[in-house]
Amino acid sequence: MDKTIRPAHGGSPSRKGREVLIALAMAVFFSLVFFTCNTPLGPAIGSDNAMYLTMGTAIAKGYAPYSEIFDHKGPLLFILQTLPQLFSGGYSTLSVFVQEVLFLWASLLVLARIARRTGATPVLVQLVYLAVLAPLLDGGNLTEEYANLFTLIGIDTMLTVFDKGDGFGTDKNARSLLLPAAAMGVMATLAFMTRANNMLPLCACVGGLALCLLVSKRFASFGWCALGFVLGCIAAALPILLWLGHYGAIGDAIYGAITHNMMYADTGSISRIHKLLFDSYGHYAIFMAALSCLGAAAYFIRTRRIPLALAMVFGAAGGGLAGFISHKFYNHYLMLSVPLAAMGTAQILALLCERIQKKPLVHGVCAALCAVMLTVTGISANALRESDYAAMLSLTPDAVALYDQVPEADRGRFLAYRVEPKWYVATEALPCMRFYFLQEILADADPAVMDEIVTSFETEPPLWVVLFYNRPYSPPYDARVQEILDTRYAFVDAKGQYQLLKYKEAE
């Protein structure tokens, strides 16, 4: 018999209003410090962020996604990068920052709901989420950051449905599972549409719940859940597919978001086992998985309900898979595990407060640990931001001085080749080729990329090209591109680390 006292899910209007304002204040303050790429305190820009600023500005000015401006991320990221630039005129870091704050605010509000359902204190669970998230942000404005909101909504939906009775209900009310399952399908698809592997934690949770339904022979419930999930996937995917179809870019999107993304993830030679066991990246992944799994154990101890506990364990495995499916091992890949780690911590805190009857002590220790983590990480993030912001201020005059030499009439045939993507942001330039950044890096994943670039240089060459100046390259320039640059382009000027070339036949 379940003797757990379940907390009220509601609350007075004034209490909810305070929660909303507290969450907003936390989101704004955290974003100012940790979303360093776009913070109004002095944006550090960042390489990935610069690519996305260029992508969003290009689409806002009429470029087609994937077919005219390329990235191997999901189409929803293209949309999310375009929306801020539609309202700002292009290359606005402030508009992206506002979007990031809104997503984080929404995430914190969902966390408050999860905490109330769990029996934990909302502000404390929000602090845990932020403290665990902070070291992984890499400046912010990344696919995982946006996908976490969808994962959190999925977790909240799971709690709504499975955190009652024996965790299942009966097949007599199986049809009532249709809409929650559809919501899960929507959220999983939105996560997938930011980047394919971002759906893994939530889909793993769904897999755990489905397994429990099958093992318990709740076939009617399983059927309605499966139907709802599929319908939710279709409902979320259809508008995005229609948007891509408007540009005739569905085929290019499949190549970029799935085929090339898988090729890119497979480049690199670092051992996954070594990274897991002997590197801080793996240790942090283990730490978050442990929080989720211990939380699952705490939940089972409190309620004796298996489905949600198993979903949390599966979700931890899905987050781990998402962090190790690629050989790149960027810190922000681990962000996908943070929602389940926060939920696990909420369950642990709820159990401790119930069993040891020293709630102030438990809360005080947890809050102090979070404060220390946020302070240490914040100091480090701010120091890096100041350094990168100073470098951006140094880069901008040289970049603008070169770009000012390109006639207005020729700027539709301009390309920054193999150049730090921040260069586009500094000059507010747009490329004339869809592979506009780190071209040899992309070609390292798929040689067909370089074949297309060479063809573009031969059939519709850029009239003006900017390159890094006196710098070794790894991987080196493709020999065909190097020959084209050496024989068909003339040196015009150099500023700082960059040189400007002009197509000879255009003289």
Side-chain angles (χ1 to χ4, degrees), residues 63 66 85 99-100 126 155 256 309-310 314 369 373 461:
Y63 283 54
Y66 294 103
Q85 308 310 331
Q99 178 171 269
E100 289 185 278
Q126 292 166 333
I155 291 172
L310 186 64
F314 273 46
L369 289 174
M373 288 181 66

Side-chain angles (χ1 to χ4, degrees), residues 353 356-367:
C353 289
I356 67 175
Q357 301 299 314
K358 293 183 178 180
K359 188 174 181 179
L361 176 62
V362 172
H363 284 189
V365 170
C366 184

Side-chain angles (χ1 to χ4, degrees), residues 461-480:
L463 299 182
W464 298 82
V465 176
V466 161
L467 305 171
F468 265 124
Y469 191 54
N470 291 333
R471 172 182 169 143
Y473 298 94
S474 179
Y477 274 133
D478 182 274
R480 295 167 294 174

Side-chain angles (χ1 to χ4, degrees), residues 196-214:
N197 56 297
N198 291 357
M199 71 185 294
L200 289 173
L202 190 51
C203 285
C205 289
V206 171
L209 296 174
L211 179 62
C212 285
L213 288 172
L214 289 174

